[in-house]
Amino acid sequence: MFPSVSLRRSLLSALALLTLASHAEAQTPAAAATRPESAMPAAAEEGQDPDMSRKLPLPRFVSLKSARVNLRVGPGKDYAVSWLFTKPGLPVEIIQEYDLWRRIRDADGTEGWVYHSLLSGERTALAAPWLKSKKGALVTVHRSAAADSSVVAEMEPGVVAKVRECSFSWCEVEAGGRRGFVSQNEMWGVYPDERF
């Protein structure tokens, strides 16, 4: 009527293994967010293989896709919203990943979590945001990738520009219907000497 001792032990062992497996899968996002970045799972987003066979590097720059992006204190919709971005195309830096959530940093250093589908692989950059408080400061847009080439426009600090490509310390940008080249070290949203 009752199972043998060896059968009961086998059943208890199997039950213990199932409990451990379900506990590992049910780990909270907050606990997982404290894991080293190398242990974070990859997820599909703009520019990544659909089969997720390769993970994009961290950190990396992307831009906001939506006109309303909630910045949360943790990687999930149950976490409180700490900030609301209302400017699509704003460049942000992904510094950590958890499942389908990305921890981002903006040019002011504000950090938080956003859902991956609210981000775009389209590259944008801010014209020298560190000069916003400097009266009369402007970022020069040149016709070609040379400091002595003619000037096609000037941007105020903080202007968002689309970045077409960067190489040899210059980026080809487009802003306000004007296209030209800006020194790479005058833009936030590209890394020094980054080429793409």
Side-chain angles (χ1 to χ4, degrees):
M1 186 182 263
F2 292 103
S4 68
V5 172
S6 61
L7 182 57
R8 277 187 283 176
R9 285 185 183 149
S10 296
L11 289 171
L12 286 173
S13 295
L15 181 61
L17 287 174
L18 284 172
T19 303
L20 285 173
S22 65
H23 176 69
E25 288 176 8
Q27 184 180 13
T28 65
T34 62
R35 291 185 292 171
E37 290 178 19
S38 60
M40 296 290 174
E45 92 181 23
E46 291 283 326
Q48 188 171 3
D49 291 340
D51 64 0
M52 296 170 28
S53 62
R54 71 178 176 93
K55 187 173 178 177
L56 295 172
L58 288 175
R60 66 180 178 275
F61 282 108
V62 294
S63 59
L64 299 180
K65 187 188 291 186
S66 175
R68 290 182 58 85
V69 176
N70 288 329
L71 188 69
R72 297 184 181 273
V73 297
K77 290 185 179 179
D78 294 336
Y79 288 92
V81 174
S82 61
W83 191 259
L84 175 65
F85 288 107
T86 58
K87 190 168 187 172
L90 191 70
V92 293
E93 184 179 29
I94 296 176
I95 56 175
Q96 192 176 4
E97 298 178 333
Y98 173 74
D99 195 30
L100 299 177
W101 291 84
R102 305 291 179 262
R103 186 172 182 197
I104 62 167
R105 177 187 304 135
D106 70 7
D108 296 325
T110 303
E111 294 183 10
W113 292 88
V114 300
Y115 195 65
H116 78 105
S117 65
L118 300 173
L119 302 173
S120 169
E122 183 175 295
R123 295 295 295 271
T124 62
L126 292 174
W130 51 88
L131 296 177
K132 280 183 182 180
S133 62
K134 190 174 180 183
K135 188 174 181 169
L138 294 170
V139 174
T140 306
V141 182
H142 296 271
R143 185 168 307 284
S144 62
D148 59 355
S149 70
S150 60
V151 175
V152 296
E154 291 180 320
M155 296 186 291
E156 291 183 0
V159 168
V160 177
K162 290 183 181 179
V163 181
R164 303 287 179 192
E165 63 178 306
C166 291
S167 61
F168 303 106
S169 300
W170 289 89
C171 293
E172 184 179 4
V173 300
E174 183 180 338
R178 299 286 181 109
R179 203 173 193 170
F181 292 83
V182 175
S183 176
Q184 201 159 345
N185 64 3
E186 293 186 305
M187 304 295 286
W188 189 91
V190 294
Y191 295 109
D193 301 320
E194 181 182 11
R195 300 175 84 174
F196 62 90

